[in-house]
DNA sequence: CCTTGCATCTTGAACGATCCAATCGCGGTG
DNA sequence: CACCGCGATTGGATCGTTCAAGATGCAAGG
């Protein structure tokens, strides 16, 4: 049973005072080089690790960042957050932080959880995902001066806080352009009801791309809630038009999967693209828009540490990343 | 800017000593009822929350539990861990713990991370997932007396530590029996190479079910690494036999998806079942074995808190849960 | 009336780090 | 030779909590 190694142990071993050891760790430049090395050797010889609890008590900083883990609603889209979370954990580790998870049934419960996490664990900051119009969470956090970054744009308030997002319009445009390049002229969009920031963004990309090609998007724009069944129904509907589309750009892989089912019933080929490049897309060979989740997570941590670790060279506080189109069999 | 509320603030407000407040929180039975209520009122009136860092420094307990988040290897199976993680976070919250994430490139890095987490954050325990034969992690942790639970059986050493697992043999047997009940007599198994605990377990379930029905599994047992392409290839091979199987029990949804592709090329119907009931299975209508991940996570936390929060009524330290078969179109 | 025991509550110290103010050594200056 | 300035180092106080030991009050027992 090895004795506990504290800063005092290291100090004795290197024949300096505790404060000098502390300085070596927190302000190396004010310690003479020779002394610094001696202390460093003692640290690694003894396997010393600063006790976070003690440090936190004194400094009020925990080096802990919270993020929420969702109850895998759809199951398909869940994997997006899963991958983001992995990237976040990685990036946090590099920056010397750790990710703490929490769940919340609804918004009220979530705010209560914030209070708890801040009060009991002295969390340094939050990473929020899936923000939508009029999100109460950002206001709550901003009000209390808690550092946070959102993955997802604040759709109402312009740039009140740091965020990272993926350009959904660009993604949808890329998918649409791919179809245009392969000769399609009648390209429909299957998306969510207007009103959701993410959904409207993707829709606008499709619309813009069509218009840029001199085509009219009227009649080809459909709205439905997310899901395979819904996608199939809407797609069937579209394909029964007098002048049916030959390409379907979908706002999610779930919708695209449904669309694929509708297409399979036909004898003519219809191109389909999805969104998010979920494992399902890869499995069934669905062309889909892939979000750079690892990079997004890294940028989130970057923005957050910039706030936490003091005013470093500024750079932008808002980051918009471009997704890429992964071309497979369906388009 | 509200003043920080400490145990001393509460003590003053309730006109008792700090220690009495502490007792109300940690050992309510030794405080007079009347006093207890007065303190409780002060606590809620002031919105007091015990500072974890200070508590941790004194007790050496952090109420933090670590678990690893994997780099979504296959992508399909990733969602299993995702759902488990969500359940774990929930269960931990109820028990008054929080989940901290970490990643690790390889086993050596993982052990180093353990050291770091224990040294710096004083973690209370670990939940390990995906244990396999001769896992170095369990030995390392056990050696140092660190509390941990594994989700997944230790396949070599019999019951050295608490674990929770899902009965893969039962799952495969259920899938096999379903096919037997619907009239199938030639039922093949597509699994992973022998040597992996999980894979062998599932294979044995299929074999046992066949034997119990008086059927001979010889010739119908196949081994391949996980993946859609691999599944397709092996299935095609099986279906080309002189006396081909009419049902395919697969060790994973990935393999089953591949098998489905092979089947689609045929004109006769062949039943296929998968394993893990991933979102993909639901998406394509694949019959699959569903693991009770939420319950598994809850049992993990239960076993862990039993170790951490002192000797409660024992009960078993090993839990084997039964999966259920989700019947869809493919079988 | 004093002792004993029990229940209840209070006081001082400790956990391990950082912050603060004071001290030390040392070469240069008046 | 006393003094100064400056960088490097030191000891003490501090964060908020729990532990260990001591104090208090009350009732029963001798």
């Amino acid at each position: 049973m090895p004795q506990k190694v504290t800063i005092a142990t290291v100090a004795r071993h290197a024949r300096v005072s505790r404060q000098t050891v502390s300085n070596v760790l927190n302000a190396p430049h004010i310690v003479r080089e020779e002394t610094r090395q001696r202390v460093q050797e003692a640290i690694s010889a003894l396997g010393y690790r600063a006790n976070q609890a003690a440090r936190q008590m004194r400094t009020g900083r925990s080096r802990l960042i919270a993020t929420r883990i969702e109850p895998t609603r759809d199951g398909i889209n869940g994997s997006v957050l899963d991958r983001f979370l992995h990237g976040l954990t990685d990036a946090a580790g590099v920056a010397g932080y750790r990710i703490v998870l929490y769940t919340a049934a609804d918004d009220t419960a979530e705010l209560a959880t914030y209070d708890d996490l801040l009060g009991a664990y002295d969390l340094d900051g939050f990473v929020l995902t899936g923000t939508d119009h009029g999100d109460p969470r950002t206001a709550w956090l901003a009000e209390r001066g808690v550092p946070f970054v959102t993955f997802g744009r604040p759709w109402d308030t312009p740039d009140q806080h740091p965020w990272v997002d993926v350009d959904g319009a660009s993604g949808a445009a890329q998918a649409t352009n791919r179809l245009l390049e392969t000769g399609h002229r009648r390209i429909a969009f299957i998306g969510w009801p207007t009103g959701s920031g993410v959904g409207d963004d993707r829709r606008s990309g499709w619309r813009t791309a069509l218009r840029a090609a001199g085509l009219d998007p009227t009649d080809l724009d459909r709205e439905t809630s997310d899901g395979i069944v819904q996608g199939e129904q809407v797609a069937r509907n579209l394909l029964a038009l007098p002048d049916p589309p030959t390409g379907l750009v979908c706002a999610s892989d779930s919708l695209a999967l449904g669309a694929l089912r509708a297409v399979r019933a036909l004898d003519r080929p219809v191109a389909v693209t999805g969104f998010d490049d979920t494992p399902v897309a890869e499995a069934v060979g669905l062309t889909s828009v892939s979000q750079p989740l690892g990079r997004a997570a890294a940028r989130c941590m970057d923005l957050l540490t910039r706030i936490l670790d003091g005013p470093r060279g500024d750079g932008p506080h808002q980051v918009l990343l471009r997704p890429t189109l992964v071309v497979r069999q369906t388009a």
Side-chain angles (χ1 to χ4, degrees), chain A residues 9 18 29 59 78 88 108 118 144 163 174 182 187 193 205 298 315:
Chain A
T9 322
R18 291 164 318 179
H29 55 279
T59 63
L88 201 61
T108 321
L118 289 169
R144 282 159 185 77
W163 53 258
Q174 286 180 55
T182 50
I187 302 169

Side-chain angles (χ1 to χ4, degrees), chain A residues 33-248:
Chain A
E33 178 58 19
E34 181 199 324
T35 315
R36 203 188 59 71
Q37 287 200 359
R38 191 150 39 96
V39 172
Q40 281 293 5
E41 278 164 24
I43 287 179
S44 49
L46 296 168
Y48 166 76
R49 254 170 244 283
N51 181 315
Q52 273 300 325
R55 167 177 290 176
Q56 174 182 348
M57 179 140 68
R58 192 73 194 128
T59 63
R61 304 266 314 274
S62 61
R63 307 205 73 82
L64 249 33
I65 289 168
T67 195
R68 174 167 139 187
I69 179 167
E70 319 260 343
T72 3
R73 299 154 295 185
D74 174 89
I76 295 186
N77 296 327
S79 76
V80 173
L81 277 173
D82 187 29
R83 283 182 286 164
F84 177 74
L85 195 54
H86 187 266
L88 201 61
T89 307
D90 252 350
V94 173
Y97 288 87
R98 299 255 165 221
I99 299 290
V100 182
L101 296 179
Y102 66 91
T103 56
D106 53 64
D107 279 349
T108 321
E110 181 151 7
L111 295 186
T113 307
Y114 288 178
D115 217 39
D116 184 42
L117 286 166
L118 289 169
Y121 290 89
D122 265 325
L123 272 136
D124 287 353
F126 286 82
V127 174
L128 302 186
T129 56
T131 55
D132 213 328
H133 290 289
D135 203 305
R137 301 177 293 166
T138 56
W140 195 95
L141 291 172
E143 203 171 290
R144 282 159 185 77
V146 181
F148 71 96
V149 179
T150 65
F151 176 44
R153 270 163 281 183
W155 296 100
D156 324 284
T157 52
D159 309 350
Q160 299 282 22
H161 55 78
W163 53 258
V164 174
D165 204 358
V166 174
D167 191 343
S170 161
Q174 286 180 55
T176 309
N177 285 331
R178 159 76 187 176
L179 297 188
L180 288 169
E181 283 160 18
T182 50
H184 295 271
R185 281 295 168 272
R186 292 280 291 169
I187 302 169
F189 182 79
I190 306 181
W192 306 317
T194 49
S196 85
V198 178
D200 297 353
D201 187 35
R202 296 182 184 178
R203 171 170 284 118
S204 78
W206 159 78
R207 198 188 305 263
T208 311
L210 274 198
R211 290 239 172 85
L215 298 171
D216 183 11
T218 319
D219 266 37
L220 294 171
D221 187 357
R222 293 300 145 91
E223 301 182 4
T224 181
S225 57
D226 201 44
I228 297 178
V229 182
Q230 289 86 339
E232 181 172 6
Q233 190 172 2
V234 171
R236 197 164 281 158
N237 210 294
L238 276 166
L239 295 170
L241 283 178
D243 183 10
T246 62
L248 302 173

